[in-house]
Amino acid sequence: MIVAHRGASDEAPENTLAAFRLAWERGADAIEGDFYLTRDGHIVAIHDATTKRTAGGIDLRVADSTLAQLQALDVGTWKAERYRGERMPTLAQVLATVPAGKKIFIEIKCGPEIVPPLQTVLDHSALAPDQIVVIAFQQSVVAEVKRQLPQLKAYWLVGYKQDEATKAWTPAREDVLRTLDRLGADGLDTEGNRQVVDASLVEQLRAGGKEFHVWTIDKPDDARHFQQLGVDSITTNRPAEIRAALQK
Ligand code: G3P
Ligand code: CA
């Protein structure tokens, strides 16, 4: 499965309706987007905690701003002039782009306080539970989603850091496997670090009944490597190119 990271974000401004619609045009099986709660309780698509990088330098903290303040900003021009006027979409607007048979990976960037409003938005959406996956780095978010929305799949996101002296990677594999179990996560959505993610990790995940997903893979050679490991999905900024490379 090919998942378009922040939409087709190599071409279009990340986390906008333009990027999500382009992902569907480019043949993605799913879209991935980043979501925060606003001050007035709405859920919006944006990667950073503030608007500075994607709103032409205007710096609002999402958690301290209203939906109206955030949607007054232009979040397209930073990427290319032709995207001038793109607005920060709500989760509901993003869900409405998802075609039948396709999926969305909702990455929660804030804390578990978002889960009740998330439930409200999903209750009003036409999407079926099997079209929606929640992903998060924060363990408490994964645990709360599985507790309050058990009908949805939730994957724990993991990235790695290497100790300069010992060369050991953190988190260690045993910690990752134990944490997945403790959270009740349906799978691991891992950084595509080829030094850490190998066939034996995949075997251990499968033995524990966990899915195996990888991000963010933009090089065909890496995509082929993870395909050979039997990955369930590849998240990429370049959905059309990665699919073409895997079909060769
Ligand atoms: O799909 C997971 C990936 O998006 C996590 O990294 O920083 O791009 O949200 P980030
Ligand atoms: Ca993300």
Side-chain angles (χ1 to χ4, degrees):
M1 185 162 72
I2 301 290
V3 184
H5 183 237
R6 312 180 193 177
S9 62
D10 192 50
E11 292 178 79
E14 63 184 54
N15 287 312
T16 62
L17 292 179
F20 294 124
R21 289 186 181 124
L22 189 60
W24 303 129
E25 280 174 37
R26 295 285 180 260
D29 301 302
I31 52 173
E32 184 265 0
D34 304 296
F35 294 92
Y36 279 91
L37 200 54
T38 68
R39 192 181 85 199
D40 52 347
H42 294 274
I43 300 176
V44 287
I46 180 169
H47 179 272
D48 302 350
T50 78
T51 60
K52 190 171 179 188
R53 180 175 58 89
T54 52
I58 298 173
D59 196 7
L60 299 185
R61 227 184 123 68
V62 178
D64 297 338
S65 308
T66 64
L67 178 64
Q69 286 173 314
L70 294 164
Q71 289 195 326
L73 304 177
D74 170 352
V75 292
T77 308
W78 72 276
K79 183 74 175 175
E81 182 57 36
R82 69 180 181 283
Y83 291 112
R84 178 175 291 278
E86 276 299 317
R87 301 293 151 184
M88 189 182 301
T90 61
L91 174 60
Q93 289 176 304
V94 180
L95 294 175
T97 75
V98 180
K102 305 279 183 167
K103 296 190 186 206
I104 179 167
F105 283 32
I106 299 173
E107 182 179 346
I108 301 302
K109 287 290 194 193
C110 56
E113 68 279 1
I114 200 171
V115 177
L118 175 64
Q119 177 159 25
T120 303
V121 173
L122 297 180
D123 284 348
H124 288 88
S125 153
L127 297 186
D130 67 357
Q131 292 180 275
I132 300 163
V133 170
V134 179
I135 59 176
F137 287 98
Q138 274 191 49
Q139 295 179 19
S140 58
V141 171
V142 177
E144 269 314 293
V145 167
K146 290 309 296 181
R147 201 175 68 79
Q148 295 186 45
L149 304 170
Q151 73 279 17
L152 299 185
K153 284 190 173 172
Y155 309 142
W156 184 39
L157 289 169
V158 175
Y160 307 94
K161 283 202 179 77
Q162 191 175 32
D163 184 283
E164 278 185 24
T166 66
K167 303 292 174 211
W169 293 96
T170 308
R173 175 174 304 185
E174 287 312 316
D175 291 339
V176 169
L177 295 169
R178 255 198 310 270
T179 303
L180 289 170
D181 277 337
R182 181 171 51 77
L183 300 177
D186 298 281
L188 173 67
D189 197 352
T190 177
E191 178 188 353
N193 181 331
R194 290 173 63 166
Q195 294 182 65
V196 177
V197 181
D198 59 17
S200 68
L201 170 62
V202 179
E203 256 176 51
Q204 287 174 296
L205 287 168
R206 298 303 185 201
K210 303 298 182 195
E211 297 178 29
F212 163 47
H213 302 263
V214 69
W215 51 269
T216 299
I217 305 300
D218 285 346
K219 293 192 185 129
D221 182 57
D222 290 335
R224 278 188 289 268
H225 172 79
F226 289 110
Q227 183 185 41
Q228 277 158 15
L229 286 183
V231 76
D232 293 307
S233 80
I234 291 175
T235 295
T236 175
N237 298 305
R238 308 175 68 206
E241 292 82 349
I242 292 299
R243 185 185 300 289
L246 292 180
Q247 282 173 344
K248 265 189 198 156

